[in-house]
Amino acid sequence: MPAYHELVEKYTKRKKDTLMDSVAAGLSYADNVAVDFGLLEESGLIDSLTVAAPFAIIAVTEQMKVILGKKTGKAGFGDAVQRMVRTGAAMGVGALAGLAGGPIAAIPASVATRALLSRYKSKTLLGMRVQERTDRLHALREQRMERASVPEGRPMLPIGMEYLEAL
């Protein structure tokens, strides 16, 4: 079981991914704001690049973690899918906010949605870890009680073995 310091360090590193993904999703709306203010000319190429950029960043960063040996391929793929789903949801909420409140509302809505989804996932996983550890403690307690019920004068047997009573 990892120590508290190791867990804090691990989850601190994850916050960098959340920030990077939030910024990438926000930048995908920044081009819409720039087009509306006349700072950029509207072209299909810029729109497709800015929509695909957050997903490309996620794919590249997760693949680099797999290549560098920080994650297994399966874990990297799962994390990439989760990050892409959160980013897609954030971009969808940002698009709706952009339609309702203008392009300036899209960036905060997108970043806030991404952060809320990340926070929800973190709290859910924490609850699952606590439940698993509680279940493990209950199992250990039951195992200890079973071993404590060995008759006096007899040595304790390894787990899974028990004395047979003679008739």
Side-chain angles (χ1 to χ4, degrees), residues 81-111:
V81 168
Q82 289 177 359
R83 286 175 63 190
M84 286 182 185
V85 166
R86 285 195 307 265
T87 300
M91 290 175 72
V93 168
L96 291 175
L99 291 174
I104 303 264
I107 294 172
S110 176
V111 171

mmCIF file of all heavy atoms in Angstrom, residues 81-111:
data_model
loop_
_atom_site.group_PDB
_atom_site.id
_atom_site.type_symbol
_atom_site.label_atom_id
_atom_site.label_comp_id
_atom_site.label_asym_id
_atom_site.label_seq_id
_atom_site.Cartn_x
_atom_site.Cartn_y
_atom_site.Cartn_z
ATOM 1 N N VAL A 81 -9.138 7.883 -22.995
ATOM 2 C CA VAL A 81 -10.583 7.883 -23.283
ATOM 3 C C VAL A 81 -11.326 8.729 -22.262
ATOM 4 O O VAL A 81 -12.182 9.546 -22.623
ATOM 5 C CB VAL A 81 -11.135 6.436 -23.321
ATOM 6 C CG1 VAL A 81 -12.646 6.421 -23.323
ATOM 7 C CG2 VAL A 81 -10.603 5.699 -24.535
ATOM 8 N N GLN A 82 -10.997 8.571 -20.979
ATOM 9 C CA GLN A 82 -11.668 9.366 -19.944
ATOM 10 C C GLN A 82 -11.400 10.858 -20.126
ATOM 11 O O GLN A 82 -12.313 11.678 -20.007
ATOM 12 C CB GLN A 82 -11.209 8.922 -18.563
ATOM 13 C CG GLN A 82 -11.738 7.576 -18.164
ATOM 14 C CD GLN A 82 -11.206 7.129 -16.820
ATOM 15 O OE1 GLN A 82 -10.415 7.834 -16.181
ATOM 16 N NE2 GLN A 82 -11.630 5.964 -16.382
ATOM 17 N N ARG A 83 -10.167 11.208 -20.415
ATOM 18 C CA ARG A 83 -9.840 12.616 -20.621
ATOM 19 C C ARG A 83 -10.553 13.172 -21.849
ATOM 20 O O ARG A 83 -11.039 14.308 -21.845
ATOM 21 C CB ARG A 83 -8.325 12.794 -20.770
ATOM 22 C CG ARG A 83 -7.567 12.657 -19.462
ATOM 23 C CD ARG A 83 -6.065 12.712 -19.648
ATOM 24 N NE ARG A 83 -5.619 13.995 -20.187
ATOM 25 C CZ ARG A 83 -4.375 14.214 -20.614
ATOM 26 N NH1 ARG A 83 -3.463 13.259 -20.539
ATOM 27 N NH2 ARG A 83 -4.032 15.392 -21.083
ATOM 28 N N MET A 84 -10.636 12.376 -22.905
ATOM 29 C CA MET A 84 -11.314 12.840 -24.114
ATOM 30 C C MET A 84 -12.814 13.006 -23.891
ATOM 31 O O MET A 84 -13.426 13.945 -24.422
ATOM 32 C CB MET A 84 -11.032 11.884 -25.262
ATOM 33 C CG MET A 84 -9.635 11.993 -25.819
ATOM 34 S SD MET A 84 -9.398 10.873 -27.203
ATOM 35 C CE MET A 84 -7.674 11.114 -27.545
ATOM 36 N N VAL A 85 -13.410 12.116 -23.119
ATOM 37 C CA VAL A 85 -14.836 12.246 -22.822
ATOM 38 C C VAL A 85 -15.088 13.525 -22.026
ATOM 39 O O VAL A 85 -16.030 14.280 -22.326
ATOM 40 C CB VAL A 85 -15.355 11.002 -22.066
ATOM 41 C CG1 VAL A 85 -16.711 11.243 -21.442
ATOM 42 C CG2 VAL A 85 -15.404 9.800 -22.992
ATOM 43 N N ARG A 86 -14.272 13.775 -21.010
ATOM 44 C CA ARG A 86 -14.437 15.003 -20.220
ATOM 45 C C ARG A 86 -14.228 16.241 -21.091
ATOM 46 O O ARG A 86 -14.986 17.223 -20.982
ATOM 47 C CB ARG A 86 -13.456 15.023 -19.051
ATOM 48 C CG ARG A 86 -13.833 14.101 -17.925
ATOM 49 C CD ARG A 86 -13.061 14.390 -16.653
ATOM 50 N NE ARG A 86 -11.623 14.425 -16.817
ATOM 51 C CZ ARG A 86 -10.813 13.402 -16.597
ATOM 52 N NH1 ARG A 86 -11.295 12.257 -16.212
ATOM 53 N NH2 ARG A 86 -9.511 13.524 -16.756
ATOM 54 N N THR A 87 -13.239 16.206 -21.949
ATOM 55 C CA THR A 87 -12.979 17.351 -22.812
ATOM 56 C C THR A 87 -14.107 17.549 -23.809
ATOM 57 O O THR A 87 -14.540 18.678 -24.055
ATOM 58 C CB THR A 87 -11.636 17.167 -23.553
ATOM 59 O OG1 THR A 87 -10.602 17.052 -22.567
ATOM 60 C CG2 THR A 87 -11.334 18.338 -24.468
ATOM 61 N N GLY A 88 -14.618 16.454 -24.383
ATOM 62 C CA GLY A 88 -15.744 16.555 -25.315
ATOM 63 C C GLY A 88 -16.979 17.131 -24.644
ATOM 64 O O GLY A 88 -17.681 17.978 -25.221
ATOM 65 N N ALA A 89 -17.254 16.676 -23.424
ATOM 66 C CA ALA A 89 -18.401 17.215 -22.681
ATOM 67 C C ALA A 89 -18.201 18.699 -22.395
ATOM 68 O O ALA A 89 -19.133 19.501 -22.531
ATOM 69 C CB ALA A 89 -18.595 16.439 -21.380
ATOM 70 N N ALA A 90 -16.987 19.060 -22.009
ATOM 71 C CA ALA A 90 -16.701 20.470 -21.726
ATOM 72 C C ALA A 90 -16.848 21.324 -22.983
ATOM 73 O O ALA A 90 -17.385 22.437 -22.923
ATOM 74 C CB ALA A 90 -15.291 20.618 -21.159
ATOM 75 N N MET A 91 -16.409 20.798 -24.101
ATOM 76 C CA MET A 91 -16.546 21.550 -25.354
ATOM 77 C C MET A 91 -18.015 21.681 -25.759
ATOM 78 O O MET A 91 -18.437 22.717 -26.283
ATOM 79 C CB MET A 91 -15.717 20.894 -26.457
ATOM 80 C CG MET A 91 -14.226 21.046 -26.225
ATOM 81 S SD MET A 91 -13.219 20.168 -27.426
ATOM 82 C CE MET A 91 -13.459 21.195 -28.865
ATOM 83 N N GLY A 92 -18.797 20.641 -25.497
ATOM 84 C CA GLY A 92 -20.232 20.708 -25.791
ATOM 85 C C GLY A 92 -20.933 21.755 -24.943
ATOM 86 O O GLY A 92 -21.740 22.544 -25.446
ATOM 87 N N VAL A 93 -20.634 21.770 -23.644
ATOM 88 C CA VAL A 93 -21.213 22.779 -22.756
ATOM 89 C C VAL A 93 -20.732 24.169 -23.179
ATOM 90 O O VAL A 93 -21.507 25.127 -23.165
ATOM 91 C CB VAL A 93 -20.863 22.481 -21.284
ATOM 92 C CG1 VAL A 93 -21.202 23.653 -20.380
ATOM 93 C CG2 VAL A 93 -21.568 21.225 -20.820
ATOM 94 N N GLY A 94 -19.472 24.274 -23.565
ATOM 95 C CA GLY A 94 -18.952 25.559 -24.029
ATOM 96 C C GLY A 94 -19.668 26.033 -25.283
ATOM 97 O O GLY A 94 -19.952 27.223 -25.431
ATOM 98 N N ALA A 95 -19.981 25.105 -26.188
ATOM 99 C CA ALA A 95 -20.710 25.475 -27.411
ATOM 100 C C ALA A 95 -22.109 25.971 -27.074
ATOM 101 O O ALA A 95 -22.587 26.969 -27.642
ATOM 102 C CB ALA A 95 -20.770 24.288 -28.361
ATOM 103 N N LEU A 96 -22.781 25.277 -26.143
ATOM 104 C CA LEU A 96 -24.116 25.730 -25.727
ATOM 105 C C LEU A 96 -24.061 27.088 -25.043
ATOM 106 O O LEU A 96 -24.913 27.949 -25.290
ATOM 107 C CB LEU A 96 -24.753 24.690 -24.798
ATOM 108 C CG LEU A 96 -25.146 23.369 -25.446
ATOM 109 C CD1 LEU A 96 -25.643 22.392 -24.391
ATOM 110 C CD2 LEU A 96 -26.197 23.597 -26.520
ATOM 111 N N ALA A 97 -23.049 27.276 -24.197
ATOM 112 C CA ALA A 97 -22.899 28.567 -23.523
ATOM 113 C C ALA A 97 -22.572 29.654 -24.538
ATOM 114 O O ALA A 97 -23.026 30.793 -24.401
ATOM 115 C CB ALA A 97 -21.807 28.498 -22.463
ATOM 116 N N GLY A 98 -21.824 29.306 -25.567
ATOM 117 C CA GLY A 98 -21.501 30.271 -26.615
ATOM 118 C C GLY A 98 -22.727 30.690 -27.394
ATOM 119 O O GLY A 98 -22.869 31.859 -27.777
ATOM 120 N N LEU A 99 -23.627 29.742 -27.622
ATOM 121 C CA LEU A 99 -24.874 30.085 -28.312
ATOM 122 C C LEU A 99 -25.785 30.933 -27.435
ATOM 123 O O LEU A 99 -26.439 31.855 -27.910
ATOM 124 C CB LEU A 99 -25.611 28.808 -28.731
ATOM 125 C CG LEU A 99 -24.960 27.979 -29.846
ATOM 126 C CD1 LEU A 99 -25.720 26.676 -30.056
ATOM 127 C CD2 LEU A 99 -24.920 28.782 -31.134
ATOM 128 N N ALA A 100 -25.829 30.603 -26.154
ATOM 129 C CA ALA A 100 -26.739 31.300 -25.249
ATOM 130 C C ALA A 100 -26.195 32.655 -24.804
ATOM 131 O O ALA A 100 -26.944 33.632 -24.766
ATOM 132 C CB ALA A 100 -27.010 30.431 -24.019
ATOM 133 N N GLY A 101 -24.934 32.737 -24.460
ATOM 134 C CA GLY A 101 -24.403 33.966 -23.879
ATOM 135 C C GLY A 101 -23.326 34.634 -24.691
ATOM 136 O O GLY A 101 -22.653 35.530 -24.193
ATOM 137 N N GLY A 102 -23.094 34.159 -25.880
ATOM 138 C CA GLY A 102 -22.045 34.744 -26.693
ATOM 139 C C GLY A 102 -20.734 34.001 -26.515
ATOM 140 O O GLY A 102 -20.576 33.179 -25.608
ATOM 141 N N PRO A 103 -19.789 34.287 -27.392
ATOM 142 C CA PRO A 103 -18.531 33.538 -27.361
ATOM 143 C C PRO A 103 -17.698 33.753 -26.105
ATOM 144 O O PRO A 103 -16.927 32.892 -25.713
ATOM 145 C CB PRO A 103 -17.779 34.036 -28.592
ATOM 146 C CG PRO A 103 -18.483 35.264 -29.034
ATOM 147 C CD PRO A 103 -19.854 35.235 -28.481
ATOM 148 N N ILE A 104 -17.885 34.874 -25.426
ATOM 149 C CA ILE A 104 -17.113 35.124 -24.205
ATOM 150 C C ILE A 104 -17.542 34.150 -23.100
ATOM 151 O O ILE A 104 -16.740 33.795 -22.248
ATOM 152 C CB ILE A 104 -17.298 36.585 -23.740
ATOM 153 C CG1 ILE A 104 -16.904 37.539 -24.841
ATOM 154 C CG2 ILE A 104 -16.573 36.847 -22.441
ATOM 155 C CD1 ILE A 104 -15.533 38.073 -24.808
ATOM 156 N N ALA A 105 -18.790 33.709 -23.098
ATOM 157 C CA ALA A 105 -19.290 32.791 -22.067
ATOM 158 C C ALA A 105 -18.805 31.360 -22.299
ATOM 159 O O ALA A 105 -18.834 30.541 -21.384
ATOM 160 C CB ALA A 105 -20.814 32.819 -22.034
ATOM 161 N N ALA A 106 -18.363 31.047 -23.512
ATOM 162 C CA ALA A 106 -17.972 29.674 -23.841
ATOM 163 C C ALA A 106 -16.722 29.225 -23.089
ATOM 164 O O ALA A 106 -16.658 28.089 -22.619
ATOM 165 C CB ALA A 106 -17.743 29.546 -25.345
ATOM 166 N N ILE A 107 -15.743 30.091 -22.966
ATOM 167 C CA ILE A 107 -14.472 29.700 -22.339
ATOM 168 C C ILE A 107 -14.647 29.370 -20.859
ATOM 169 O O ILE A 107 -14.268 28.279 -20.428
ATOM 170 C CB ILE A 107 -13.395 30.782 -22.570
ATOM 171 C CG1 ILE A 107 -13.073 30.869 -24.062
ATOM 172 C CG2 ILE A 107 -12.135 30.462 -21.770
ATOM 173 C CD1 ILE A 107 -12.182 32.024 -24.442
ATOM 174 N N PRO A 108 -15.253 30.239 -20.048
ATOM 175 C CA PRO A 108 -15.423 29.875 -18.634
ATOM 176 C C PRO A 108 -16.320 28.644 -18.443
ATOM 177 O O PRO A 108 -16.066 27.814 -17.570
ATOM 178 C CB PRO A 108 -16.057 31.102 -17.986
ATOM 179 C CG PRO A 108 -15.926 32.203 -18.950
ATOM 180 C CD PRO A 108 -15.686 31.613 -20.287
ATOM 181 N N ALA A 109 -17.358 28.518 -19.259
ATOM 182 C CA ALA A 109 -18.250 27.359 -19.144
ATOM 183 C C ALA A 109 -17.506 26.072 -19.471
ATOM 184 O O ALA A 109 -17.665 25.054 -18.786
ATOM 185 C CB ALA A 109 -19.455 27.528 -20.065
ATOM 186 N N SER A 110 -16.674 26.110 -20.482
ATOM 187 C CA SER A 110 -15.913 24.931 -20.884
ATOM 188 C C SER A 110 -14.909 24.521 -19.808
ATOM 189 O O SER A 110 -14.833 23.349 -19.432
ATOM 190 C CB SER A 110 -15.189 25.221 -22.203
ATOM 191 O OG SER A 110 -14.383 24.145 -22.572
ATOM 192 N N VAL A 111 -14.164 25.481 -19.316
ATOM 193 C CA VAL A 111 -13.147 25.194 -18.301
ATOM 194 C C VAL A 111 -13.807 24.732 -17.002
ATOM 195 O O VAL A 111 -13.350 23.776 -16.364
ATOM 196 C CB VAL A 111 -12.245 26.433 -18.076
ATOM 197 C CG1 VAL A 111 -11.320 26.235 -16.889
ATOM 198 C CG2 VAL A 111 -11.439 26.725 -19.331
#
